[in-house]
Amino acid sequence: MNDQMSDRTSDRTSDRVNELIEAMAAGLSGVRGVRAVALGGSRARGAHRPDSDWDLGVYYRGGVDVAGLAALARELTGAAVEVAGPGGWGPWVNGGAWLTVDGVRTDWILRDLDRVESVWADCREGRYEVGVQAGHPLGFWSPAYAGEVALCRVLADPAGELATLRAETRTYPEPLRKALIDAAWEAEFSVAVAAKSAGAQEGAGPQAGTAAQAGAGAQAGAAAQAGAGAQAGAAAQAAGAGAQAGARAGAGDPLHVSLCLSRAFGILAQSLHAHQRVWLLNEKGALAGAAAFPAAPPDFAARVAEALRGLDAGAVAAARALVREVRGRLV
């Protein structure tokens, strides 16, 4: 009995939230410049948690009435809400607002429909961009715009523009698939770059440290014997710097290695998704998603995690082997 009552309560709550979102979409579609509204993110894909936000893509043409959006947000929440206009959140995420209505956390995410259509045209020709964007540590890959449309649930679309585009993007373009598979060359290049920062070869570190310390000490001693105070001070500084360099020799640069390896694995995730003709929207969940595809080695995720924990010469060697194995499977 209690389980049945809980189910009915849950259903009523779900119905209430869905009605709220539908009403919000209708309100957004009435703002000047807005052409369509869509539910996106994990909610649209059915991969959400109970506490997941509701992401609403607000598609506009030729600009959007930001003041109108702010007024609607105030009406819904009863308080002032900051709305970032086009470009306010960066060149790719664009703008929008975060608001909570009756306990429901909602994100409004602005999308320039003209730009989305342009990106889609590029995708069909096998062209894409990777832009710097806050919140996307591996960059914003432009095909995500098309993927968002393909995976969304259209809520308001008076002229049918978004629905038409959604129907087109449901088929993954073969030229884009080839381009993103070919992009895996950069994964191998990134690993090669990481190798330069993973530390000196075995035995080179101590020798380099000893030589640096000895050289710096000799310079300091020579300057002190000469009696040149200023020169002695400069040499002493050089000695200290030389000793630090010697101490660091062979230790590697974990930040640079981690960035290079993360980039390499992120590219592999893009290539594996493209190989499977599956849209990849961002880095979250990219590794798990890629690991589930037939082209990925059975232990792909575990090997990636191990390399990112190591960040030494051994980790780089393991990453190189993994990249080459995956590239060999992407045929």
Side-chain angles (χ1 to χ4, degrees):
M1 178 67 72
N2 288 337
D3 288 344
Q4 293 176 349
M5 292 179 62
S6 176
D7 289 343
R8 286 197 295 271
T9 301
S10 177
D11 289 343
R12 286 196 297 270
T13 300
S14 178
D15 290 343
R16 177 185 66 82
V17 173
N18 285 327
E19 290 172 2
L20 185 155
I21 296 299
E22 293 281 355
M24 188 180 296
L28 285 166
S29 68
V31 174
R32 182 169 52 84
V34 175
R35 305 303 293 262
V37 181
L39 177 65
S42 60
R43 294 277 181 185
R45 301 193 304 272
H48 59 281
R49 303 186 308 271
D51 61 343
S52 294
D53 295 350
W54 292 76
D55 296 337
L56 296 185
V58 182
Y59 290 82
Y60 65 90
R61 286 194 195 276
V64 63
D65 183 0
V66 177
L69 291 173
L72 176 61
R74 175 185 282 275
E75 178 184 332
L76 292 169
T77 64
V81 175
E82 181 179 356
V83 177
W89 284 351
W92 287 97
V93 173
N94 201 355
W98 299 301
L99 57 158
T100 301
V101 181
D102 293 340
V104 179
R105 295 196 310 273
T106 308
D107 299 341
W108 294 353
I109 304 170
L110 297 181
R111 287 289 182 263
D112 182 339
L113 192 52
D114 289 330
R115 189 179 186 190
V116 172
E117 290 175 342
S118 177
V119 166
W120 171 234
D122 284 344
C123 289
R124 296 200 305 272
E125 297 297 325
R127 298 189 300 268
Y128 66 92
E129 300 177 54
V130 183
V132 175
Q133 172 62 58
H136 288 261
L138 298 180
F140 190 100
W141 293 61
S142 61
Y145 273 0
E148 288 173 344
V149 176
L151 301 175
C152 80
R153 179 157 67 89
V154 178
L155 300 177
D157 185 21
E161 295 169 283
L162 193 61
T164 298
L165 187 58
R166 182 177 183 272
E168 294 177 8
T169 57
R170 300 287 281 184
T171 300
Y172 200 99
E174 288 303 307
L176 179 65
R177 178 176 183 263
K178 181 181 184 305
L180 290 177
I181 290 173
D182 290 346
W185 74 266
E186 190 188 337
E188 194 156 347
F189 176 77
S190 294
V191 172
V193 173
K196 299 179 181 180
S197 295
Q201 294 295 320
E202 185 176 352
Q207 292 172 3
T210 300
Q213 291 174 359
Q219 291 175 0
Q225 288 175 2
Q231 293 177 359
Q237 291 178 353
Q244 291 174 2
R248 289 195 302 266
D253 185 341
L255 175 59
H256 187 233
V257 174
S258 69
L259 292 172
C260 290
L261 295 190
S262 294
R263 174 107 184 139
F265 297 140
I267 292 168
L268 289 186
Q270 288 283 350
S271 297
L272 284 164
H273 276 78
H275 184 267
Q276 197 66 22
R277 300 179 179 86
V278 174
W279 294 106
L280 180 58
L281 305 187
N282 55 51
E283 299 91 340
K284 291 189 296 184
L287 177 59
F293 296 139
D299 52 356
F300 178 67
R303 290 167 67 181
V304 168
E306 182 64 26
L308 292 176
R309 281 194 295 268
L311 301 181
D312 55 13
V316 171
R320 181 184 296 109
L322 179 57
V323 168
R324 289 177 177 174
E325 181 178 350
V326 172
R327 291 192 70 188
R329 290 168 169 258
L330 294 174
V331 293

